[in-house]
Amino acid sequence: MARIVMKFGGTSVADIARIRNVARHVKREVDAGHEVAVVVSAMSGKTNELVGWVQDASKAEGSNFNIYDAREYDAVVASGEQVTSGLLALVLQSMGVHARSWQGWQIPIKTDGAHGAARIQDIDGSFLVQRFGEGQVAVIAGFQGIAPDNRISTLGRGGSDTSAVAIAAAVKADRCDIYTDVDGVYTTDPRIEPKARRLSRISFEEMLEMASLGAKVLQVRSVELAMVHKVRTFVRSSFEDPDAPGMGDFDNPPGTLICDEDEIVEQQVVTGIAYAKDEAQISLRRVSDRPGVAAGIFGPLAEAGINVDMIVQNISEDGSFTDMTFTVPSGDVGKALAVLEKGRATIGFDAVQHDDGMSKVSVIGIGMRSHAGVAATAFRALSEKGINIRAITTSEIKISILIDGPYTELAVRTLHSVYGLDKQ
């Protein structure tokens, strides 16, 4: 007997028929004798609808602006998961499974007070463990908790993944299964490269890089939590027949296991290629080269909530001036330029230039730590395809390259091939 947390996303619970399919997955694990907690998202599209209602309701008459109380926002948008958890509990009961629904505040999942983007601070799993002992399945509303002001809080988009991993850590689950509309983690996006392969295993660190660099399979915070608490996490498809061969295999079910790198016997040099479109490059020309200038540039950007990524600095020959180039999401360009112009006198620069429509392509793999020449291989391959590199950043297990957006798909396919990821 094992303890399992199963998480189902919005497309998996989009209607009653799909909720019945989810219930079959849950019943399979219950019938195998496992203790089960289920975390559910709102039905597909429901959260967007609820957010739209909040925005419409908060507009003052005759105004196009909507400034709303984040606590009431949370009260409204958290209701989507409440509906799903109740419906799944009802379906499970109709199938003879002893189940009940739980809201975040009932467990309780305690968060900080940042309504709309709260972070989990503590989970008391004792009630759940007690109910496991009574043979009960806990169906938990994801994405939500309770803030210090005793009001419902939500964890931000994709928060149900984080809920599931946090609950798995709190109840010391043997594994956390994230069911989604894909059947695992692939070497790259199969929509771009049909030869992309599903990975049987990937390390926490690699998955964290993949998630933060563009792969949409898991929310970044959920991978961080899994890595910190060593929660073995499976990415699986909810659209597989619940009774298909191998679906009940506890050790090696179909999907991708995210685990400690010690569990990966044969490590590839490169594990995957990730990409993120809609990046913008901003360059400050002839910036005074003095202590504190970087803080003067990036401090105000951080205070404005602008996420700066790749940073390149060039020093002039006489050392008195520097050029500073960095990237931000394309949607933040206007705000970033306004912040920089406001601080122009303090920072001291001659001109600011920007280019939209950039893409960041990243090569990821824990095997890069012990292999030389990985970066050179990428640069040579892109050069042969006529792809110009705008900026480069590296870490122990990743190389990120900024290129012009129209070359994204060619770059992904080229790098996927040059590292042999299209071969079995």
Side-chain angles (χ1 to χ4, degrees):
M1 183 179 72
R3 187 171 292 166
I4 302 173
V5 174
M6 308 171 73
K7 183 266 174 179
F8 294 90
T11 53
S12 303
V13 293
D15 52 38
I16 296 299
R18 289 190 179 178
I19 290 174
R20 291 190 187 281
N21 184 62
V22 164
R24 290 176 60 207
H25 281 287
V26 176
K27 190 174 187 301
R28 181 191 64 235
E29 304 297 355
V30 172
D31 289 346
H34 302 313
E35 295 177 343
V36 179
V38 189
V39 176
V40 291
S41 299
M43 291 178 171
S44 182
K46 182 55 67 177
T47 300
N48 287 339
E49 182 182 28
L50 294 168
V51 170
W53 288 353
V54 169
Q55 292 173 340
D56 287 346
S58 58
K59 281 182 185 173
E61 190 171 344
S63 170
N64 289 323
F65 296 101
N66 40 32
I67 301 172
Y68 49 77
D69 184 337
R71 296 165 298 183
E72 302 302 345
Y73 168 94
D74 278 354
V76 174
V77 299
S79 65
E81 283 72 15
Q82 181 170 329
V83 170
T84 315
S85 60
L87 291 173
L88 179 56
L90 286 169
V91 172
L92 285 168
Q93 289 170 10
S94 74
M95 296 168 63
V97 176
H98 182 32
R100 68 151 282 192
S101 63
W102 295 75
Q103 309 312 308
W105 60 268
Q106 292 175 304
I107 291 174
I109 298 173
K110 296 180 180 178
T111 73
D112 61 20
H115 284 277
R119 299 186 76 87
I120 295 173
Q121 294 186 327
D122 181 59
I123 297 178
D124 183 352
S126 58
F127 281 149
L128 295 178
V129 172
Q130 179 184 324
R131 295 302 180 92
F132 289 153
E134 298 169 7
Q136 188 179 83
V137 172
V139 184
I140 301 163
F143 174 65
Q144 60 173 248
I146 185 165
D149 59 7
N150 213 34
R151 299 190 64 167
I152 292 171
S153 56
T154 63
L155 308 181
R157 286 308 179 96
S160 292
D161 286 348
T162 303
S163 299
V165 173
I167 288 164
V171 301
K172 295 180 170 53
D174 294 281
R175 72 169 198 239
C176 179
D177 291 354
I178 306 289
Y179 285 83
T180 181
D181 52 4
V182 295
D183 62 352
V185 180
Y186 280 72
T187 49
T188 196
D189 187 342
R191 294 170 299 180
I192 286 182
E193 175 49 86
K195 294 180 182 176
R197 294 181 295 107
R198 187 179 72 192
L199 298 163
S200 59
R201 296 190 174 202
I202 185 172
S203 73
F204 290 123
E205 288 178 275
E206 289 170 323
M207 190 65 236
L208 189 57
E209 293 285 9
M210 294 278 276
S212 62
L213 294 169
K216 300 291 192 291
V217 179
L218 285 176
Q219 191 209 39
V220 174
R221 280 165 60 191
S222 69
V223 184
E224 289 175 347
L225 265 180
M227 183 165 68
V228 168
H229 295 284
K230 305 293 185 189
V231 177
R232 299 174 85 248
T233 305
F234 269 98
V235 177
R236 307 180 62 177
S237 171
S238 63
F239 298 118
E240 293 270 359
D241 185 332
D243 301 317
M247 289 297 285
D249 185 336
F250 181 78
D251 295 315
N252 294 294
T256 300
L257 172 64
I258 306 165
C259 58
D260 196 280
E261 66 178 273
D262 294 340
E263 289 193 56
I264 302 173
V265 178
E266 192 173 338
Q267 296 175 354
Q268 300 294 316
V269 177
V270 171
T271 299
I273 311 295
Y275 69 93
K277 294 183 177 180
D278 296 323
E279 297 281 316
Q281 184 181 48
I282 296 177
S283 298
L284 299 179
R285 302 301 183 194
R286 289 182 60 80
V287 182
S288 299
D289 189 18
R290 53 183 169 74
V293 70
I297 295 169
F298 299 114
L301 291 172
E303 288 170 10
I306 299 167
N307 182 35
V308 174
D309 187 15
M310 309 173 85
I311 302 172
V312 179
Q313 183 176 4
N314 298 313
I315 308 298
S316 64
E317 287 186 15
D318 62 4
S320 58
F321 294 99
T322 180
D323 287 344
M324 191 80 76
T325 299
F326 54 92
T327 62
V328 299
S330 289
D332 286 339
V333 169
K335 187 162 57 166
L337 293 176
V339 169
L340 293 169
E341 284 296 339
K342 185 177 179 181
R344 186 170 191 151
T346 306
I347 300 167
F349 59 86
D350 280 3
V352 58
Q353 300 170 337
H354 72 277
D355 289 303
D356 296 335
M358 303 283 112
S359 288
K360 178 174 61 179
V361 180
S362 303
V363 179
I364 299 155
I366 51 178
M368 290 165 60
R369 288 176 178 152
S370 55
H371 286 76
V374 178
T377 299
F379 303 153
R380 189 182 310 112
L382 294 178
S383 172
E384 289 171 356
K385 295 294 183 181
I387 300 172
N388 185 45
I389 297 173
R390 297 287 200 107
I392 304 161
T393 59
T394 63
S395 74
E396 267 194 320
I397 66 167
K398 76 127 196 283
I399 304 159
S400 289
I401 300 164
L402 189 71
I403 62 173
D404 293 326
Y407 292 97
T408 306
E409 296 189 8
L410 176 60
V412 169
R413 288 194 296 267
T414 299
L415 295 174
H416 193 266
S417 175
V418 79
Y419 291 114
L421 296 176
D422 51 355
K423 297 179 175 65
Q424 292 295 336

